[in-house]
Amino acid sequence: MNNKLTHFDEGGNAVMVDVSAKAVTTRTATAKGRVTMHPATAALIANHGHKKGDVLAISQLAGIMGAKRTADLIPLCHPLPLDSVSVTLQLVEGESAVDITATCKTSGRTGVEMEALTAVSITALTVFDMCKAVDKTMQLTNIRVVYKEGGKSGTFVAD
Amino acid sequence: MNNKLTHFDEGGNAVMVDVSAKAVTTRTATAKGRVTMHPATAALIANHGHKKGDVLAISQLAGIMGAKRTADLIPLCHPLPLDSVSVTLQLVEGESAVDITATCKTSGRTGVEMEALTAVSITALTVFDMCKAVDKTMQLTNIRVVYKEGGKSGTFVAD
Amino acid sequence: MNNKLTHFDEGGNAVMVDVSAKAVTTRTATAKGRVTMHPATAALIANHGHKKGDVLAISQLAGIMGAKRTADLIPLCHPLPLDSVSVTLQLVEGESAVDITATCKTSGRTGVEMEALTAVSITALTVFDMCKAVDKTMQLTNIRVVYKEGGKSGTFVAD
Amino acid sequence: MNNKLTHFDEGGNAVMVDVSAKAVTTRTATAKGRVTMHPATAALIANHGHKKGDVLAISQLAGIMGAKRTADLIPLCHPLPLDSVSVTLQLVEGESAVDITATCKTSGRTGVEMEALTAVSITALTVFDMCKAVDKTMQLTNIRVVYKEGGKSGTFVAD
Amino acid sequence: MNNKLTHFDEGGNAVMVDVSAKAVTTRTATAKGRVTMHPATAALIANHGHKKGDVLAISQLAGIMGAKRTADLIPLCHPLPLDSVSVTLQLVEGESAVDITATCKTSGRTGVEMEALTAVSITALTVFDMCKAVDKTMQLTNIRVVYKEGGKSGTFVAD
Amino acid sequence: MNNKLTHFDEGGNAVMVDVSAKAVTTRTATAKGRVTMHPATAALIANHGHKKGDVLAISQLAGIMGAKRTADLIPLCHPLPLDSVSVTLQLVEGESAVDITATCKTSGRTGVEMEALTAVSITALTVFDMCKAVDKTMQLTNIRVVYKEGGKSGTFVAD
């Protein structure tokens, strides 16, 4: 394991790491997460999916838009163009949960795992917002990177 | 349990709920969450806390700023002034985790639990960003509302 | 007709008008607009409305979020809290058009017609974006205020 | 005519389309639009153009800045660097209208017609805002793409 | 002189100070600053002021818009509605300088000196940007608060 | 000395200059500035630097984040990716001042001096905000470009 926090310089100051010497390559990252909820809330989401206003569709769109705001939100993230963002949600009624997966791609000098994680987080927050009037016990949980490809550090696949 | 998703009108369209008839009252909300990590990562954070650049201090600031962006990020959230935001982080080395607590207050017509949850989420994402070069297995977990006060729905305290 | 452009001071400089002496009242505004398109595009939108990904639902959400960005976009607009935003879209297949209506409310010292107009415009731009791969001849048209209420200038209803 | 809405995947979910395999080329787009108004409003704008505070100059600047916010506003638009943005306004007093033209350029993997359309729309909204105290009957109209060049789909020129 | 930095809690953490117990009053603040430059640059600005595109008018507008972004930029600033923003610029050709004054007002629980200072700073940065192709030796200088009124701390007037 | 303001076209309209024909090269810029203050304020900052909440660390982070917002704030600045941002602060107790240095890098078609200047300005504004409860007489001063490299105009070093 690397033992250096890269976001600090020799003097201990926070820095946005210099990536100017890195190659521009296609970089991909996938993150996942889950919103757990009361069974009745999951049932409400399921029923609403057949109408025009759909909790999952709205949350998905919020996640895509959220990915684009990553560098505004995370202090030391590099602003970068995004080549694609996709977010999918799966209502797992048996477990009273919504599972979220986000994949981002860039042609850049640094990875996009923070963009994928931000997309999952904003998606999950929006599920919470849409359902909070009926259920205040929801939890956002297990938000993590599951795949990362491109760049010098190679491919990462979570166990 | 309420059985109505308030963010949809009678026709099933998404709406930003009309709160104009609600009273302006002081409203408070507290959210919590945790970032789990490899023990070596927790040790690195602990060691760095004595230097100028501190993972926890940077993440805390990101969380406070994130709270102010809530209405930009969550599609149906009301934009509202905030009277206070506080975020605290606790490194729990024995459990290789960082615990995050955020409290927001407003004098407004609607609650601030989304602001508190957004503060916790952005704080947690920043911890991840600062440490991802050494540990890609971190998880953001148990992000939830633990306290809510003010407004017609009364006080909520998580079990 | 008033013959003074209020956004300029005596010296001819642009200003954000001083509203501190105005009363806080509930203010409402409604704007409307239309996107015209090729009949085949209108048919595609109609067919897609039955699937998860719905041009009109996505555009509607973009419009609500756009209303919240009004003061960021329009140089001399006052930033203000919004009590409600609603946007509705109607596909008028016979006329190959999508009609958009947005209504905003605030409890503030100045009106919200710019918020309603911005909501309609961003909604219309999103319809365009979603359909531009199949139709580059669409037009955003007849974006206007149809109703305004609250404040000293009284109620305005378009003919 | 193409019969596929590109912003949806096979499962009907909204996506930010993957452009990573597209070539980086210089891409240009021009959009136009008009604000119609009462003849007295057009006269006021004409008279004010000789002072420091100029409705057209302010609106023009708002349009340029608006172009830079496109990806923040339109949910599925790619964030991209812009190589140039120009906006021009023409007061057509005989027709009591302001005509707006915006041209954007990028060196990227996707087109900039949404940036040009957003520039025109924000310019038009600002004209409205600056004059709304004297004329509430203005309309934003005929906002459309008139030219597009670069990329695989070739050159588009409106009739 | 007070000896306490208010933006830290007892444990030394940064906080957005709790203002919920403060009264809503009208608060005003004025800030000033200067951009110094080469005499030839001042002459260029002077000459350009008679044309449509005016360095001072563009910078002034940027300053007004910048005031509205204060809480986005300054980590511990409270987001608040603004009742008015005015920015004036004065070319002092004899001293090869542009003097900038900004005044902001709010009806809120906290002061607006940061908004006034941000308006001056963004105005000054824009003057720099507009002229940097001809003069890289400009300086932004003497940016300060000159007046503050409203709230418990009383009126402040700089010597 | 060049005698042309590049941000205006032949007709005198403001434009975001067309850089599409410029080469993509690595470009660097360094800006500096200072916040002057009462000696007692400098002493308070010095003492606080040993606690968790540190005025300089918070201001430094605000400056890095501010650099990323440059194109949002300065009307005619090109939005561009940033390869690195570093900000350092030095408390000069003998002179009761905080000195700020910011360096930005991009691989782009236009320079990053505005990003470096914006970073210094936002850092300085944040120092002011953190200390304004104890000292309203602070000044932001001598904000300037000291170094610029890359691009056709060659290297600039301030005297």
Side-chain angles (χ1 to χ4, degrees):
Chain A
M1 185 170 160
N2 186 338
N3 64 357
K4 181 111 175 346
L5 294 176
T6 52
H7 285 88
F8 298 103
D9 66 16
E10 295 306 307
N13 293 301
V15 290
M16 188 197 288
V17 179
D18 188 348
V19 298
S20 59
K22 290 190 176 186
V24 171
T25 61
T26 300
R27 293 157 192 264
T28 305
T30 300
K32 283 183 181 291
R34 165 171 277 206
V35 182
T36 60
M37 59 192 61
H38 194 282
T41 311
L44 262 177
I45 293 176
N47 294 338
H48 234 79
H50 305 299
K51 298 193 191 170
K52 268 194 287 179
D54 179 342
V55 170
L56 303 187
I58 291 171
S59 301
Q60 189 231 15
L61 204 66
I64 292 175
M65 296 180 82
K68 296 192 269 185
R69 311 298 292 275
T70 303
D72 270 0
L73 297 168
I74 313 298
L76 303 174
C77 262
H78 295 80
L80 45 75
L82 285 168
D83 283 348
S84 90
V85 181
S86 76
V87 176
T88 56
L89 293 95
Q90 176 85 29
L91 178 64
V92 188
E93 268 202 85
E95 305 178 30
S96 299
V98 172
D99 282 341
I100 304 165
T101 304
T103 297
C104 297
K105 270 194 204 177
T106 194
S107 307
R109 290 183 164 80
T110 184
V112 284
E113 58 265 56
M114 290 317 301
E115 280 73 10
L117 285 165
T118 302
V120 169
S121 301
I122 303 300
T123 303
L125 286 167
T126 305
V127 170
F128 195 108
D129 182 49
M130 304 288 290
C131 300
K132 71 180 191 293
V134 299
D135 185 358
K136 287 184 181 27
T137 67
M138 289 175 283
Q139 299 214 9
L140 284 56
T141 199
N142 296 107
I143 299 174
R144 66 204 186 275
V145 176
V146 298
Y147 184 78
K148 182 177 184 303
E149 183 196 282
K152 222 175 72 179
S153 71
T155 298
F156 165 82
V157 185
D159 302 329
Chain B
M1 183 169 162
N2 187 338
N3 63 0
K4 180 105 175 352
L5 294 175
T6 51
H7 285 88
F8 299 103
D9 66 15
E10 294 306 307
N13 293 300
V15 289
M16 188 197 289
V17 179
D18 189 348
V19 298
S20 58
K22 290 189 175 187
V24 172
T25 61
T26 300
R27 292 156 193 265
T28 304
T30 300
K32 285 182 180 289
R34 164 171 277 205
V35 183
T36 61
M37 58 191 62
H38 195 282
T41 310
L44 261 178
I45 292 176
N47 293 338
H48 233 78
H50 304 298
K51 299 191 192 169
K52 267 194 289 179
D54 180 342
V55 170
L56 303 188
I58 291 172
S59 302
Q60 189 230 15
L61 204 66
I64 292 175
M65 296 180 82
K68 296 194 268 185
R69 310 298 293 276
T70 304
D72 270 359
L73 297 168
I74 312 299
L76 303 174
C77 262
H78 295 79
L80 43 76
L82 285 167
D83 284 347
S84 91
V85 181
S86 76
V87 176
T88 57
L89 293 94
Q90 176 85 28
L91 179 63
V92 188
E93 268 201 86
E95 305 178 30
S96 299
V98 172
D99 281 341
I100 304 163
T101 305
T103 298
C104 297
K105 268 194 205 178
T106 194
S107 307
R109 290 184 164 79
T110 183
V112 283
E113 57 266 56
M114 291 317 301
E115 281 73 10
L117 285 164
T118 301
V120 169
S121 301
I122 302 300
T123 302
L125 286 168
T126 304
V127 170
F128 194 108
D129 181 50
M130 304 287 292
C131 300
K132 69 180 193 292
V134 298
D135 185 358
K136 287 183 180 28
T137 66
M138 288 174 285
Q139 298 215 8
L140 283 58
T141 198
N142 294 107
I143 299 172
R144 66 204 185 276
V145 175
V146 297
Y147 184 78
K148 181 179 188 301
E149 183 195 282
K152 222 176 74 181
S153 70
T155 299
F156 165 82
V157 185
D159 303 330
Chain C
M1 184 171 162
N2 186 339
N3 63 358
K4 180 105 175 352
L5 293 176
T6 52
H7 286 88
F8 298 103
D9 65 17
E10 294 307 308
N13 294 300
V15 290
M16 188 197 289
V17 179
D18 189 348
V19 298
S20 59
K22 290 190 176 186
V24 171
T25 61
T26 299
R27 292 157 193 266
T28 304
T30 300
K32 284 183 181 290
R34 163 171 278 204
V35 183
T36 60
M37 58 191 64
H38 195 282
T41 310
L44 261 179
I45 292 176
N47 294 337
H48 234 78
H50 304 298
K51 297 192 192 170
K52 269 194 286 179
D54 178 342
V55 170
L56 303 187
I58 290 171
S59 302
Q60 188 231 15
L61 204 65
I64 292 174
M65 296 180 82
K68 295 192 268 185
R69 311 298 293 274
T70 303
D72 271 359
L73 297 168
I74 311 299
L76 303 174
C77 261
H78 294 78
L80 45 76
L82 285 168
D83 284 348
S84 90
V85 181
S86 76
V87 176
T88 56
L89 293 95
Q90 176 85 28
L91 178 64
V92 187
E93 268 201 84
E95 304 178 31
S96 300
V98 172
D99 282 341
I100 304 164
T101 304
T103 298
C104 297
K105 268 193 206 180
T106 192
S107 307
R109 289 184 166 78
T110 184
V112 284
E113 58 266 55
M114 291 315 302
E115 281 72 9
L117 285 165
T118 302
V120 169
S121 300
I122 303 300
T123 302
L125 286 168
T126 305
V127 170
F128 195 108
D129 181 50
M130 305 288 291
C131 300
K132 71 180 190 293
V134 298
D135 184 0
K136 288 184 180 25
T137 66
M138 289 174 284
Q139 298 214 10
L140 283 57
T141 199
N142 295 108
I143 299 173
R144 65 202 186 276
V145 175
V146 298
Y147 184 77
K148 182 179 185 302
E149 182 195 281
K152 221 175 74 180
S153 70
T155 299
F156 165 82
V157 185
D159 302 330
Chain D
M1 184 171 159
N2 185 338
N3 63 0
K4 180 109 173 347
L5 294 175
T6 51
H7 285 87
F8 298 103
D9 66 15
E10 294 306 307
N13 294 300
V15 289
M16 188 198 290
V17 178
D18 189 348
V19 298
S20 59
K22 290 190 176 186
V24 171
T25 61
T26 301
R27 292 157 193 267
T28 303
T30 300
K32 283 182 181 290
R34 165 170 277 206
V35 183
T36 60
M37 59 191 63
H38 194 282
T41 310
L44 261 178
I45 292 177
N47 293 338
H48 233 78
H50 304 298
K51 300 193 191 168
K52 267 193 288 180
D54 179 341
V55 169
L56 303 188
I58 291 172
S59 302
Q60 190 230 16
L61 204 67
I64 293 175
M65 296 180 82
K68 297 193 266 185
R69 310 299 293 275
T70 304
D72 270 0
L73 297 168
I74 312 299
L76 303 174
C77 261
H78 295 80
L80 43 77
L82 285 168
D83 284 348
S84 90
V85 181
S86 75
V87 176
T88 56
L89 293 95
Q90 176 85 30
L91 179 64
V92 188
E93 268 201 86
E95 304 178 31
S96 299
V98 172
D99 281 340
I100 304 164
T101 305
T103 298
C104 297
K105 269 195 204 177
T106 193
S107 307
R109 290 185 165 79
T110 183
V112 284
E113 58 266 55
M114 291 316 301
E115 280 74 10
L117 286 164
T118 302
V120 169
S121 302
I122 302 300
T123 303
L125 286 168
T126 304
V127 170
F128 196 108
D129 182 50
M130 304 287 291
C131 301
K132 71 180 192 293
V134 299
D135 185 359
K136 288 184 179 29
T137 66
M138 289 174 283
Q139 299 215 8
L140 285 56
T141 198
N142 296 107
I143 299 173
R144 64 204 186 276
V145 175
V146 297
Y147 184 76
K148 182 179 186 300
E149 183 195 282
K152 222 175 72 178
S153 72
T155 299
F156 165 82
V157 185
D159 303 329
Chain E
M1 185 170 159
N2 186 339
N3 63 359
K4 181 107 175 349
L5 294 175
T6 51
H7 285 88
F8 298 103
D9 65 17
E10 294 305 307
N13 294 299
V15 290
M16 188 197 288
V17 179
D18 188 348
V19 298
S20 59
K22 290 189 175 186
V24 172
T25 61
T26 300
R27 293 157 193 264
T28 304
T30 299
K32 283 183 180 292
R34 165 172 277 206
V35 183
T36 61
M37 58 191 62
H38 195 282
T41 311
L44 262 179
I45 292 176
N47 294 338
H48 233 78
H50 305 296
K51 298 193 191 169
K52 265 193 289 178
D54 179 342
V55 170
L56 303 187
I58 291 172
S59 302
Q60 188 229 16
L61 204 66
I64 293 175
M65 296 180 82
K68 295 193 268 184
R69 310 298 292 275
T70 304
D72 270 359
L73 297 168
I74 312 299
L76 303 174
C77 261
H78 295 79
L80 44 77
L82 285 168
D83 283 349
S84 91
V85 181
S86 76
V87 176
T88 56
L89 292 95
Q90 177 86 27
L91 179 64
V92 188
E93 268 202 86
E95 305 178 29
S96 299
V98 172
D99 282 340
I100 305 164
T101 305
T103 298
C104 296
K105 269 194 205 178
T106 192
S107 307
R109 291 185 164 77
T110 183
V112 285
E113 57 265 58
M114 290 317 301
E115 281 73 10
L117 286 164
T118 301
V120 170
S121 301
I122 302 299
T123 302
L125 287 167
T126 304
V127 170
F128 195 108
D129 182 50
M130 304 288 291
C131 300
K132 70 179 193 291
V134 299
D135 185 359
K136 286 182 182 29
T137 67
M138 288 174 283
Q139 298 213 10
L140 283 58
T141 198
N142 295 106
I143 299 172
R144 66 204 186 275
V145 175
V146 297
Y147 184 77
K148 181 179 186 302
E149 183 195 280
K152 223 175 72 180
S153 69
T155 298
F156 165 83
V157 184
D159 303 330
Chain F
M1 185 170 161
N2 186 339
N3 64 358
K4 180 110 174 346
L5 294 175
T6 50
H7 285 88
F8 298 103
D9 66 16
E10 295 306 307
N13 293 301
V15 289
M16 188 198 289
V17 179
D18 189 348
V19 299
S20 60
K22 290 191 175 185
V24 171
T25 61
T26 300
R27 293 156 193 266
T28 304
T30 300
K32 284 184 181 291
R34 165 171 277 207
V35 183
T36 60
M37 59 191 63
H38 195 282
T41 311
L44 261 179
I45 293 177
N47 294 337
H48 233 80
H50 304 298
K51 299 192 191 169
K52 266 193 289 179
D54 178 342
V55 170
L56 303 188
I58 290 172
S59 302
Q60 189 229 18
L61 203 67
I64 293 175
M65 297 180 82
K68 297 193 267 185
R69 311 297 292 275
T70 304
D72 270 0
L73 297 168
I74 312 299
L76 303 174
C77 261
H78 295 80
L80 44 75
L82 285 168
D83 283 348
S84 91
V85 181
S86 75
V87 176
T88 56
L89 294 95
Q90 176 85 29
L91 179 64
V92 188
E93 268 202 85
E95 304 177 31
S96 299
V98 172
D99 281 342
I100 304 165
T101 304
T103 298
C104 297
K105 269 193 203 178
T106 193
S107 306
R109 291 185 165 78
T110 184
V112 285
E113 59 266 55
M114 291 317 301
E115 281 74 8
L117 286 164
T118 303
V120 170
S121 302
I122 303 299
T123 303
L125 286 168
T126 305
V127 170
F128 195 108
D129 181 50
M130 304 288 291
C131 301
K132 70 179 192 292
V134 299
D135 185 359
K136 287 184 181 27
T137 67
M138 289 174 284
Q139 297 214 10
L140 284 57
T141 199
N142 295 108
I143 299 173
R144 64 203 186 276
V145 175
V146 297
Y147 184 77
K148 182 177 184 304
E149 182 196 282
K152 222 175 73 180
S153 70
T155 299
F156 165 82
V157 184
D159 304 328

